[in-house]
Each structure stands twice: as structure tokens, then as C-alpha cells.
Amino acid sequence: MQAGRIINISSISGIRAGVGRAVYRSTKADVDTLARQFAVEFGMRVSRQTLLQRQNAATPDTFEIPLAHLTHSQGIQNSHCSQNPLRRHGNPEEIAFTVGILTSKNTGHITGHTLPFDGGFSAAGLYNI
């Protein structure tokens, strides 16, 4: 059997606190914690019979997808971009590429991590930059 990988898609909301949406933010933080927990529990039992070898979480920020336009007003989207060092939203291809990196054979020693791919939003802090 070949070892597998699980990549949970979380949210930057699980890393950064903010006003409102406490349930959403806490459940996304739980997804990140689950990635770490599974990495420890399954990583310690890796053998030829183990299907799960690596567990990670990817945490996107606001991306140009239809759901973002339904859940965030244009004002919120513009405000979000103004706090992002790249000053733009990500695109679906960037999500696919990031997940592809985490599933690559060349990243076999990465497990139990949460990878923000957010244009620097999580690094920027709470202030407009």
C-alpha cells in the first residue's frame, strides 16, 4: 500500500482573531489542531500498512471565488485587500498549487503544519499597512 496525505482546507480565521464569527473562527482553529493531532497519532504508527502518512492544513485568506462575493460585501473585500501586503486577493490556481506542494513527494518530512497562504495578511498584524 502507498502512504497517503490529508490536506485540510482551513482559514486564516483560525489563526487570527477578529470581531464576530466566533463559531466559524473556533472551528477553523479546530481544523488546524486536528492536523497536528493526526500527524502525531498517525505519524508514530507509520508502516507499510498505514494509509495516512502526512496530515497538514492549508489556510487561505480571501480568494477570488464566487463564495467570497456572497459572504463579504465589496467594502469588506476592499478593506481586506488594503491590509494585505500584496494588495490583492488570491486565485483558485494558487490554492491548487499550494495543496500540490503539500502533497508532493519532495515534502515528505512536512507533517502537522498549518500553512497560511494569505498574501502576507497573517504577518501584517492588526494595523493597516
Side-chain angles (χ1 to χ4, degrees), residues 24-99:
Y24 178 79
R25 291 177 184 278
S26 62
T27 57
K28 292 303 181 178
D30 288 345
V31 170
D32 298 342
T33 300
L34 188 64
R36 290 188 298 275
Q37 189 63 40
F38 278 179
V40 171
E41 288 191 22
F42 292 117
M44 294 174 69
R45 292 184 257 162
V46 171
S47 68
R48 289 180 179 257
Q49 289 76 38
T50 304
L51 294 177
L52 175 63
Q53 181 180 4
R54 291 188 285 141
Q55 167 80 38
N56 292 293
T59 59
D61 190 14
T62 304
F63 276 74
E64 281 296 328
I65 58 173
L67 182 61
H69 298 289
L70 293 173
T71 58
H72 300 298
S73 70
Q74 190 61 48
I76 290 174
Q77 291 179 50
N78 292 342
S79 174
H80 206 275
C81 269
S82 73
Q83 296 179 51
N84 181 323
L86 296 184
R87 299 289 196 260
R88 68 175 181 85
H89 295 297
N91 61 58
E93 291 78 19
E94 291 170 312
I95 297 173
F97 183 77
T98 302
V99 171

